[in-house]
């Protein structure tokens, strides 16, 4: 699927010296950058495997019913999302990328800047995303206590964040 078919907004993908991406990888990376910018769409999420996983220090969402609301939830939680920097550092599997993003929490105006090491894993046969890891300051928690809260978040966010049922509903929300 080409980036134009998916309406990827982030098409200017910055890469480290010596790193080059093929067209499919550019579409994948651009769509993931869009997701981190709070610009989800059903088409972009079709690039994900149904059993895909998204994890960061506050959630571990497994499967479409859990990871889609995580991405749509960014629009709900933040009034501003600004990408300050990104650079793809490895075009392998996983695709590795440095990402720095500034978020402003809706309602209270609290600003937070997060520096992440992103890893994007692809299914070799389908080319779909099987997992995205967002390691804040290069780390994911590994304690059982923290993992309980990550699992809880992956179940509660879908209860509060709705995902559009079709492209028309998605477009009404301003998503492409």
């Amino acid at each position: 699927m080409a980036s134009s078919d998916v309406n990827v907004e982030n098409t200017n993908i910055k890469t480290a010296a010596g790193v080059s991406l093929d067209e499919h990888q550019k579409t994948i990376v651009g769509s993931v950058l869009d997701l981190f910018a709070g610009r989800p769409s059903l088409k972009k999420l079709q690039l994900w495997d149904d059993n895909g996983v998204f994890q960061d220090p506050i959630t571990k969402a497994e499967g479409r019913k859990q990871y889609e609301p995580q991405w749509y939830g960014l629009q709900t939680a933040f009034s501003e999302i600004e990408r300050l920097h990104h650079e793809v550092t490895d075009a392998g599997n996983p695709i590795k990328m440095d990402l720095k993003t500034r978020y402003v929490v809706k309602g209270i105006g609290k600003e937070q800047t997060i520096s992440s090491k992103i890893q994007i894993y692809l299914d070799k046969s389908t080319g779909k995303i099987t997992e995205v890891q967002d390691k804040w300051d290069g780390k994911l928690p590994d304690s059982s206590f923290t993992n309980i809260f990550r699992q809880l978040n992956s179940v509660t966010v879908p209860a509060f964040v709705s995902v559009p049922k079709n492209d028309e509903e998605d477009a009404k929300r301003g998503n492409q």
Side-chain angles (χ1 to χ4, degrees):
M1 198 179 284
S3 61
S4 59
D5 298 337
V6 184
N7 292 327
V8 171
E9 296 169 44
N10 286 283
T11 56
N12 184 18
I13 310 298
K14 295 180 178 30
T15 58
V19 175
S20 63
L21 300 171
D22 63 31
E23 287 307 308
H24 179 69
Q25 289 173 314
K26 287 178 184 174
T27 298
I28 292 292
V29 171
S31 72
V32 168
L33 286 170
D34 286 356
L35 294 174
F36 277 103
R39 303 290 299 149
S41 73
L42 294 174
K43 286 183 180 178
K44 291 170 193 166
L45 290 164
Q46 285 305 308
L47 297 171
W48 286 62
D49 185 88
D50 288 342
N51 297 311
V53 175
F54 170 72
Q55 49 178 327
D56 67 12
I58 60 172
T59 196
K60 184 174 182 185
E62 298 175 298
R64 191 168 296 282
K65 287 187 183 332
Q66 289 186 1
Y67 67 69
E68 284 183 339
Q70 298 296 328
W71 295 115
Y72 279 96
L74 291 178
Q75 294 174 325
T76 306
F78 301 105
S79 58
E80 289 179 50
I81 301 174
E82 178 188 11
R83 185 177 58 248
L84 302 173
H85 168 79
H86 83 277
E87 182 178 64
V88 176
T89 58
D90 189 328
N93 193 6
I95 297 168
K96 296 179 181 177
M97 176 172 55
D98 293 338
L99 180 65
K100 187 174 185 178
T101 310
R102 182 182 69 85
Y103 299 93
V104 178
V105 180
K106 266 188 188 171
I108 61 172
K110 178 169 176 18
E111 189 174 308
Q112 180 72 42
T113 298
I114 297 176
S115 294
S116 298
K117 298 283 187 189
I118 307 297
Q119 293 187 334
I120 305 167
Y121 294 82
L122 302 177
D123 182 293
K124 287 179 175 81
S125 61
T126 65
K128 290 196 171 201
I129 297 170
T130 57
E131 183 171 2
V132 171
Q133 294 180 356
D134 176 8
K135 299 178 178 185
W136 297 357
D137 296 320
K139 299 180 199 115
L140 279 175
D142 60 2
S143 78
S144 57
F145 181 76
T146 305
N147 284 332
I148 290 170
F149 288 102
R150 292 172 70 218
Q151 288 297 127
L152 183 62
N153 186 27
S154 71
V155 174
T156 56
V157 169
F160 294 101
V161 176
S162 67
V163 173
K165 293 171 184 45
N166 54 46
D167 288 340
E168 182 183 339
E169 194 176 305
D170 212 9
K172 283 182 184 175
R173 292 186 182 193
N175 301 317
Q176 299 180 354

